[in-house]
Amino acid sequence: MNKIIYLDAAASALKPDSVIEAETDFLRNKYANAGRGICARAAAVDDMVSAARNAVAAFMGAVANQIVFTAGATDGLNRAARLIGVENMRVAVSDLDHHSARMPMVAAGADIVLIGLDENYNYDLSSIPAADVIVVTAMSNVFGTPQDVAGVIAAAREKNPNVIAVVDAAQYAAHMPIDATAWGADFICFSGHKIGADTGIGIMYVREPMRWRPDNFGGGMVNKITDAEWIFNDAPECFEAGTLPLTQIAGLRPALAAWRPRAGHDIISGLYDALSRNPRIKIYTAPDAAVLTFSVDGMHALDLGAMAGARGLCMRVGNMCATWAMRLIDAPAGGVARLSAGAWNRPEDVVVATDIINGIVK
Ligand code: PLP
């Protein structure tokens, strides 16, 4: 078997050694629960959680009480829909949305309205409908182009100054710095595992945390219970019922320290140059996009993925959990293939991956 070329960063990033070492050290030498103990070890875990929260806040231009730990982007997006209570609200969505961004709104009973896109599959700021809630996909996992999130939210507020903006930053967070304040979003969700941290940890930024009534109940989130009332802890703890994913939180700070903007973009643009010369390959993404999404004339995406995988190339094939984007590009029935890179990829990966794909697609 050849060396593995991992070009599936957009599905999940490989982990820097510093993340693996921090998690191992926590499990082996520092383990205790947070927010419950008063021994020195438990206090140190509390400090570790606070330091991770502060690091996330600094990463996205927020303050610590706006940072809620979740299980991932999907969990955060579901929780945002529940916290808002979108039943019978007019919720604007777009065909850029991942299933995880639109489905929670539909499942919670929203009335869906569509935001228009331009011919390059970017938000068309002139076609933002009046809505109670707007879902903004900061970067589609199919197209890999950063969107003008602040512009979309500002345009939505021109139609309704009270619109609640929920941003899916799952892909964006891996490539570009987030400025929560400049965006003006009410909720911003992303996953640790796409930015070099572990699975099972996510971030939900909440602009005005005290505006929302907690959606999950249990240990750690309530200060006092009487027969008459429940007095919740202050944010963010009031949104964090139960034991947090502490090991994964231990990996957050080193992941953010290792994070670099546009990591792997040179690899994707090299692949774009090489693969755009193959006449059987149809590319759906821009040359400077964060991902390269393509299909092959006369070949099912799953066949391509299996053959590439057997030769050591890991990439994503299928509908990308983005049914609406697949319709937009009129994707073949089996979906498309997607190449995405990270800090671990080397320039020679472009040559090897191109040889593998061109060897299959002759
Ligand atoms: N949103 C986008 C744009 C994504 O690409 C993904 C994952 O691929 C998600 C949401 C969901 O992320 P997770 O599966 O980590 O919850």
Side-chain angles (χ1 to χ4, degrees), residues 10 72-74 98 100 139 141 168 170-171 191 193-194:
T74 303
H98 189 275
S100 294
M139 177 184 282
N141 60 320
D168 173 2
Q171 293 295 332
S191 297
H193 72 93
K194 292 196 202 276

Side-chain angles (χ1 to χ4, degrees), residues 30 32 37-47:
K30 299 180 175 157
I38 46 169
C39 66
R41 203 183 242 235
V45 178
D46 288 345
D47 291 346

Side-chain angles (χ1 to χ4, degrees), residues 93-156:
V93 302
S94 86
D95 288 343
L96 296 181
D97 298 335
H98 189 275
H99 294 172
S100 294
R102 192 190 296 189
M103 288 178 71
M105 297 292 172
V106 176
D111 294 331
I112 297 297
V113 284
L114 264 191
I115 310 169
L117 302 175
D118 67 18
E119 66 282 7
N120 297 318
Y121 310 127
N122 295 316
Y123 284 106
D124 175 0
L125 298 198
S126 68
S127 81
I128 311 283
D132 303 309
V133 177
I134 183 166
V135 175
V136 188
T137 294
M139 177 184 282
S140 140
N141 60 320
V142 174
F143 301 116
T145 307
Q147 297 299 309
D148 177 6
V149 178
V152 174
I153 295 174

